[in-house]
Amino acid sequence: MPQSKNKKIMYHPKPDETGNPVPIHKPHKPSMDGFLDPTQIVTITPGAELPVASLNGIRFAPWQPPADAMGWRKVDGQIAIEDEPEPAPLKKGQKFATGLVIIEPDERVWLVSPTNQFGGYANTFPKGKVEKDQKSCFQSNAIQEAWEETGIKARIVGYLGDVDRSTTRTRYYLAVRESGTPAEMGWESQAVHLVPLKAARDFLDSEYDHQVVDLVERFLARHDGRIPDPWTTIAQRFVTNVTRQETPGKDAYVGCLLGGAVGDALGAPVEFMRRDEIYRRFGPNGITDYAPAYGGLGRITDDTQLTLFTAEGLLRTYVRGQMRGMASHEDVMANAYRRWLLTQGFTEEERGFTMLDYPGWLYTHRALHSRRAPGNTCIEALRQGTHLGNPTRNDSKGCGAVMRMAPVGLCLARQKYDGFSKSFEWGIDFAALTHGHPTAQIAAGAFAALIYLLARGNTLPEALAKTKTKLIEHPNHGETLAALEKAQRLAMSDIEPDRAIASLGEGWVAEEVLAIAVYCALVAKNFEHGVLLAVNHDGDSDSTGSITGNLLGLMYGVQAIPDRWLAPLELRDVITEIAEDLYDYESWPIGEYVPWTPEGIYLFAKYPGN
């Protein structure tokens, strides 16, 4: 925080609305050790560096507000509330105001300390006067005032009630944090606090704010103690589009596939080790860097191999559709997996099919021609399958159905139409080529759908809520839905991660590997923290590491992956290139009536449509 030249007066890092510096007479001291403890109070000062990258699965990241008043009127995060009453007539001299109670899943609320105790408040809820007494701008005003005072972009989930103060009647809404960072609070606040709801009454110094706490407690009691989930079909009453205006860029696509490969390579040396064995061998923090596996450091396994061939199958499907006007996604993907089978030491003669008239670009990389503990289910299903693109007849629900599906969501997210349902269905279809158990297929579809939603700009909690809604539409969803909901409950609890992960399983089967990855991504402080949680446990460490790496790499981008893990990573350039192709393919100059160009000829040779 800037100081004056005489070093006696502290100034807020942000000027007021006229551009003048704002002195802070009695600055707060930051206290941020308790971020991950739901019983602790956290205090953030302007410009502070937060010790965590996310909380409750939602990132702290700068948010770009609307540029003008009309933009604020339409700001995302407003809802249609059926039981919100018309405001009562104001008393003489009163003005109308609106405010937010921003609540976290761990039942802590965000409070502010007005700069120099403006208005007589030491601590209060974010609020502000409404310029025009029109109901249409009540919610947008509350979101704007909360953003300006806390640095947090919130989404309203319910109406709390009105509180008469000395000069205002303030309408309060319950809201959840979805973006922003309290370190970017505006000049009107000299501190932002995260306070357990049970401690809020003592923390607040105004009887009016005590009434707001009463409103929150009554609201939660009516909802059985649950914070409403704005992303379920029950509450699809939003005025604005739930999809973010800004979606992840190419760096996130590269981060997704490289992140998965990094998690895979970290987990490879300990895949078949128990947790206590991992800690005995690698020390009190477990494995934290690459260890020798498959003849080197940073070596990938079948998880990344199959992810790459899934990406290749999707790109070949697109090329075939563009050039011939139609394509069977199951048939082209089955051929992609058969090419992977040939990299595992099987020959075309043994298998009885001809695959290499058009081998394409990916198959030519010799580093892929190595067996890295492939799952027996995938090998046998592809060896025994007789009809191209038909579902297998086994009853396996192994994790191999899930760990290869990230490219499905990435690919469909780049298309102009809404591909959420399609990503779910394609995940199911592609899993069915090798895994016959319904849970394996449903879990694969859920993972593809999560990746799709993240790639479209949703937060992980939003993506989970929407995906669970889609899950319920399918038969045989019970095991996957229960596993995901358990992962979310554990992420909001104070249970230690090692115990939480152990209670979710070992990751050898589909719903467990997905649940462990989701849990690790929800509680991760950053990419490194989340991936290391995912590999240091009993069970299938390379698959849990791979899926967690896909999620966190997409959420945080490639820049979040430590260089010490990227530098020695096997096939890094190949993985990067295919991720970039998944991002760029919609603009390729190919098509049935598109004139041939050197670039088009190159792309057709790289991903021939078969």
Side-chain angles (χ1 to χ4, degrees), residues 395-403 405 424 431 435-448 450 464 467-468 471 476-488 490 500-520 537 540 543-544 547-548 551:
D395 193 38
S396 172
K397 67 168 181 172
C399 65
V402 182
M403 50 75 167
M405 292 301 164
F424 200 100
H435 290 70
H437 197 287
T439 295
Q441 298 167 15
I442 291 289
F447 180 48
L450 284 175
L464 283 164
T467 298
K468 288 190 296 182
L471 268 174
N476 305 304
H477 66 263
E479 288 183 312
T480 303
L481 180 62
L484 287 175
E485 291 188 332
K486 184 175 183 180
Q488 289 181 284
L490 288 167
I501 293 171
S503 73
L504 290 170
E506 297 185 356
W508 299 111
V509 294
E511 76 276 18
E512 290 181 3
V513 75
L514 182 60
I516 291 171
V518 164
Y519 169 84
C520 292
H537 69 96
D540 196 357
S543 294
T544 52
I547 297 173
T548 304
L551 293 170

Side-chain angles (χ1 to χ4, degrees), residues 143-165:
I143 294 170
Q144 180 176 0
E145 292 292 336
W147 153 252
E148 292 174 349
E149 295 179 22
T150 68
I152 292 171
K153 166 61 175 67
R155 177 174 291 278
I156 293 172
V157 296
Y159 162 72
L160 291 174
D162 296 347
V163 173
D164 276 340
R165 295 176 177 267

